[in-house]
Amino acid sequence: MARDRVGFVGLGVMGKPMARNLLAAGIELVVFSRTRASVDDVAGDGATAAASPREVAERADVTILMLPDSPQVREVLDGDDGLLAGAREGTLVIDMSTISPVVTREIAERCGERGIGWVDAPVSGGDVGAREATLSIMAGGSDEDFARAKPLFEALGKTIVHVGPVGAGQVVKACNQVVVALTIEAVAEALVLGSRAGVDPATIIEVLSGGLAANKVMEVRGRNFLEHDFTPGFRIDLHHKDLGIALETAREYGVALPNTAAVDQMLQALRSNGRGDCDHSALLTHIEDLAQHTTGATA
């Protein structure tokens, strides 16, 4: 069986290292992104540059999308230069963006009417997981489409789970983003409390990491908290968007998410204060503002 030709659209903080990992696995790639410099960077590693999503679809059997939100996915798909204008029957689209489950199901149905398969496969693991090919991938789609996508997932991540039909991947990602956001907020509260009471934040993280309070957030973002380095791996703007998806989904299914709503408002406050471009670990600064205390400072 011939190997699928693969397209990749969206070469941002996550997409660029993911595309490079596919190239490293020996997969031929044709790539497009709205930032030409990103396309040129990946083309320099051996990918073929495309001038539009349509050209990607014309050259590829399977196309991966890694885009910010539902409007960007629609934009890439539609129009004379859109992916669907160039996609053939039998094409598979793997959307690794984090978008609305409702929008996902709507798009997948429209594609299905044209014989185009759809797998929603959002990821967890952030920029570090993207670079190191250790992402957790939660995929929704048919058994056949998932089986076709799985070899590509194996070049991108370590935990690959088929979570159900189309849309289920986005639902699980919403659940993931709830846990990550609330964990960051909890760690921030602990660090501000401990620091204000005179304990070194590094010591707090060391001790908590050895007990029941241990979590991946402290492992991956511990340095960010301690050094107040909020260079974005995953921006507050995007995590706020993701909590909006979670709350919208919760409303649809009649589920109350009180603490998610509270953290959603904290992220909104950070965005209103000009910190939306910071890494989501900058939620620490909101808790510091409330306490009028910077962690690590003399109490």
Side-chain angles (χ1 to χ4, degrees):
M1 181 177 176
R3 196 174 195 181
D4 281 324
R5 293 166 295 176
V6 179
F8 202 106
V9 178
L11 301 173
V13 170
M14 297 289 290
K16 186 184 290 187
M18 290 168 67
R20 284 175 165 153
N21 286 332
L22 291 169
L23 288 169
I27 294 164
E28 290 188 36
L29 273 191
V30 54
V31 298
F32 173 79
S33 192
R34 63 184 178 184
T35 304
R36 182 67 201 191
S38 295
V39 175
D40 292 341
D41 281 349
V42 180
D45 294 327
T48 300
S52 67
R54 176 174 182 162
E55 185 180 343
V56 172
E58 289 170 344
R59 295 181 176 214
D61 305 302
V62 177
T63 298
I64 295 172
L65 308 180
M66 193 56 170
L67 301 163
D69 200 355
S70 304
Q72 288 78 23
V73 172
R74 291 188 190 275
E75 181 182 344
V76 160
L77 291 174
D78 296 333
D80 292 341
D81 288 326
L83 197 74
L84 296 182
R88 305 171 301 281
E89 184 175 350
T91 294
L92 176 64
V93 179
I94 304 171
D95 185 20
M96 303 189 79
S97 321
T98 297
I99 71 170
S100 160
V102 175
V103 172
T104 291
R105 291 172 180 139
E106 173 196 318
I107 292 173
E109 183 177 355
R110 183 156 58 98
C111 289
E113 292 169 355
R114 299 179 49 179
I116 298 168
W118 191 276
V119 172
D120 55 302
V123 304
S124 179
D127 57 318
V128 175
R131 289 194 302 272
E132 298 180 358
T134 57
L135 292 168
S136 175
I137 301 170
M138 48 217 89
S142 69
D143 290 341
E144 179 183 1
D145 287 341
F146 175 75
R148 189 175 174 189
K150 190 174 180 182
L152 301 178
F153 295 153
E154 289 170 343
L156 299 171
K158 293 297 184 187
T159 303
I160 301 161
V161 182
H162 186 196
V163 296
V166 167
Q170 298 295 354
V171 171
V172 175
K173 179 58 187 290
C175 297
N176 180 87
Q177 295 304 79
V178 166
V179 173
V180 172
L182 270 62
T183 303
I184 291 173
E185 196 277 337
V187 171
E189 287 194 11
L191 292 177
V192 172
L193 171 62
S195 174
R196 188 67 182 85
V199 181
D200 178 23
T203 300
I204 296 169
I205 287 182
E206 179 184 358
V207 174
L208 296 187
S209 295
L212 188 58
N215 60 76
K216 195 74 173 180
V217 163
M218 288 193 299
E219 178 184 333
V220 175
R221 290 290 187 254
R223 184 192 64 80
N224 301 78
F225 290 129
L226 296 177
E227 297 180 9
H228 279 70
D229 178 2
F230 303 121
T231 304
F234 189 70
R235 290 186 290 119
I236 283 170
D237 283 337
L238 290 176
H239 209 145
H240 184 249
K241 178 265 296 184
D242 291 351
L243 291 193
I245 291 171
L247 291 167
E248 176 188 6
T249 305
R251 184 179 293 272
E252 180 181 350
Y253 289 100
V255 175
L257 302 178
N259 293 324
T260 301
V263 177
D264 173 77
Q265 291 300 294
M266 294 179 194
L267 295 178
Q268 178 60 66
L270 285 162
R271 296 181 69 213
S272 298
N273 289 327
R275 301 177 206 169
D277 283 338
C278 295
D279 186 75
H280 54 177
S281 56
L283 184 53
L284 173 67
T285 65
H286 179 74
I287 306 302
E288 289 177 332
D289 289 346
L290 295 177
Q292 295 188 328
H293 173 77
T294 300
T295 53
T298 303

